Amino acid sequence: MSFHDVRFPLSVAYGTAGGPMRRVDVVTLASGREERNALWAGSRRRYEAGLGLRSDDDLHAVIEFFEARGGKLHAFRFRDWLDWKSCPPLATPAMTDQLVGLGDGERRQFPLVKRYVSGGQAHVRPITKPVVGSVIVAMNGDAVAATVDHDTGLVSFAVPPAGGAAITAGFEFDTPVRFDIDHLSLSLADFRAGQAPSIPLIEVLP
């Protein structure tokens, strides 16, 4: 198992369908009421990349990419065009977009995260594959220099931030995924007839 630091073809990714999934066990009681239990602490994303194929060249690019990754063997970067920034897709990342931690005078490293907030509830998602050159960091709202590990999403400071200092960041990111299929079944005749092949991708959790 390893990760190849390459991105799935952007042109194909643009037309894919998919998003986060949750595992929740629902038990219906005799009264008709339900008991629900979350089996996963967070979410995992799944995509159908076959819908993004637009040309014969796209087919060849996916075959080449699949072979180079060894099928399911190696994970890779994938841009989810609906969720790839620290802000909404049509906005520009700002250094105050996401709170990644509070200083305590000792801690030097802070992992990038993205918060999904609705109705007073929030889900915190670890961001492990930020895009090189896209991360901007602030301390108490002022820009500050920091080192970013683009393989882990860790932001590091030479000097530990002071106690109570708010560390925020803006960034672009990719989702680490792998192919969820052993056999890449493609037919040029079916494709030209408008039938999209199935190319499932699934998120690889940190």
Side-chain angles (χ1 to χ4, degrees):
M1 292 175 58
S2 68
F3 180 83
H4 287 180
D5 196 19
V6 295
R7 184 184 286 140
F8 188 78
L10 283 174
S11 60
V12 180
Y14 189 77
T16 60
M21 61 179 178
R22 296 269 182 163
R23 287 289 304 277
V24 177
D25 188 24
V26 180
V27 177
T28 303
L29 306 179
S31 64
R33 294 180 179 177
E34 292 181 344
E35 288 187 355
R36 295 180 294 277
N37 180 51
L39 302 180
W40 293 352
S43 58
R44 192 179 189 189
R45 283 153 178 79
R46 182 182 291 277
Y47 304 96
E48 177 49 69
L51 299 174
L53 297 171
R54 295 289 183 271
S55 68
D56 294 0
D57 285 343
D58 286 345
L59 283 173
H60 181 266
V62 170
I63 292 172
E64 196 168 44
F65 196 88
F66 181 86
E67 291 283 30
R69 305 290 82 74
K72 293 180 180 179
L73 185 60
H74 302 291
F76 49 90
R77 289 176 177 261
F78 176 80
R79 173 164 292 180
D80 180 346
W81 285 99
L82 292 176
D83 191 4
W84 60 287
K85 298 180 181 180
S86 56
C87 55
L90 297 182
T92 300
M95 60 186 176
T96 56
D97 281 345
Q98 301 291 330
L99 176 67
V100 299
L102 296 175
D104 59 8
E106 297 182 2
R107 186 179 175 191
R108 295 173 181 265
Q109 292 186 322
F110 300 82
L112 290 177
V113 297
K114 182 174 180 178
R115 285 177 171 79
Y116 299 81
V117 183
S118 176
Q121 301 296 315
H123 168 63
V124 181
R125 175 188 180 187
I127 300 300
T128 60
K129 301 299 177 187
V131 174
V132 174
S134 72
V135 183
I136 46 179
V137 183
M139 189 181 305
N140 292 329
D142 296 322
V144 63
T147 301
V148 181
D149 188 330
H150 297 91
D151 291 325
T152 64
L154 282 177
V155 176
S156 302
F157 296 92
V159 178
I167 312 303
T168 57
F171 46 84
E172 297 176 3
F173 64 93
D174 293 316
T175 300
V177 302
R178 64 167 173 80
F179 286 101
D180 196 25
I181 192 172
D182 289 313
H183 177 210
L184 192 60
S185 180
L186 303 175
S187 166
L188 192 59
D190 289 344
F191 174 67
R192 289 180 175 174
Q195 182 176 335
S198 178
I199 308 175
L201 309 175
I202 190 165
E203 183 178 8
V204 176
L205 299 178

